[in-house]
Amino acid sequence: MAPSRTLSIIKPDATRRNLTGAINAVLEESGLRIVAQKRLRLTREQAEVFYAVHRARPFFKDLVAFMTSGPVVVQVLEGEDAVERNRAIMGATDPAKAAPETIRARFAESIEANSVHGSDSPENAASEISFFFTPAEIVG
Ligand code: CMP
């Protein structure tokens, strides 16, 4: 099976606690390769567009405030079945329900401040990757 790609975000709760390296180590140990990465501060508009699918949810305003509260690290991960592999490593959205040893079980603070985001389908991965990266910035 050919390698595929997914978009990952290390969220402000994790960058604040200096966990970028610890999370990257988990990703790399799982066999995923970080083929693009940059640290940035999302604008409110960027966060609203990125999470537009959640616009009607009661937690949307808080989510945008949280995602713009500090730096994030956006990354492209590459590997076999990258979307599903990354979702397995991240664990459930709610850290209380995440399997032991997953990133969210180990590091997340709450259902909102849950340390990482990962694309939920190959189609969304493609659009989320192009939201942050040009093809020339991705070096496989
Ligand atoms: P993520 O995988 O980035 O996708 C949407 C985000 O919204 C999610 O991670 C959490 O950060 C946040 N989120 C999802 N559900 C809730 C909830 N019930 N309450 C607060 N935040 C949530």
Side-chain angles (χ1 to χ4, degrees), residues 11 51 54 59 63 93 104 111-112 114 117:
K11 296 187 179 185
Y51 280 120
H54 297 301
F59 58 79
L63 174 61
T93 304
R104 285 167 169 163
I111 192 167
E112 176 182 83
N114 61 357
H117 166 83

Side-chain angles (χ1 to χ4, degrees), residues 5-132:
R5 291 174 174 172
T6 191
L7 190 279
S8 163
I9 305 178
I10 300 177
K11 296 187 179 185
D13 66 286
T15 60
R16 177 170 43 78
R17 288 175 289 149
N18 220 17
L19 291 170
T20 300
I23 290 171
N24 280 353
V26 177
L27 296 172
E28 291 186 336
E29 278 158 19
S30 81
L32 289 164
R33 302 181 76 82
I34 302 165
V35 295
Q37 176 169 261
K38 56 190 168 190
R39 180 175 167 109
L40 53 89
R41 182 96 179 233
L42 287 172
T43 64
R44 193 173 66 137
E45 189 186 27
Q46 278 179 310
E48 285 175 350
V49 173
F50 185 82
Y51 280 120
V53 65
H54 297 301
R55 193 174 285 275
R57 302 283 193 95
F59 58 79
F60 182 71
K61 217 173 152 214
D62 284 348
L63 174 61
V64 169
F66 164 62
M67 289 300 292
T68 56
S69 68
V72 298
V73 177
V74 295
Q75 352 179 256
V76 181
L77 308 179
E78 185 177 87
E80 296 238 331
D81 209 6
V83 167
E84 280 313 313
R85 185 182 293 222
N86 186 43
R87 289 177 68 75
I89 295 156
M90 288 194 301
T93 304
D94 181 352
K97 296 179 183 152
E101 307 304 319
T102 58
I103 291 172
R104 285 167 169 163
R106 290 177 60 188
F107 301 120
E109 294 181 322
S110 67
I111 192 167
E112 176 182 83
N114 61 357
S115 298
V116 282
H117 166 83
S119 309
D120 63 3
S121 70
E123 297 72 28
N124 286 341
S127 69
E128 291 181 359
I129 288 169
S130 65
F131 188 85
F132 288 112

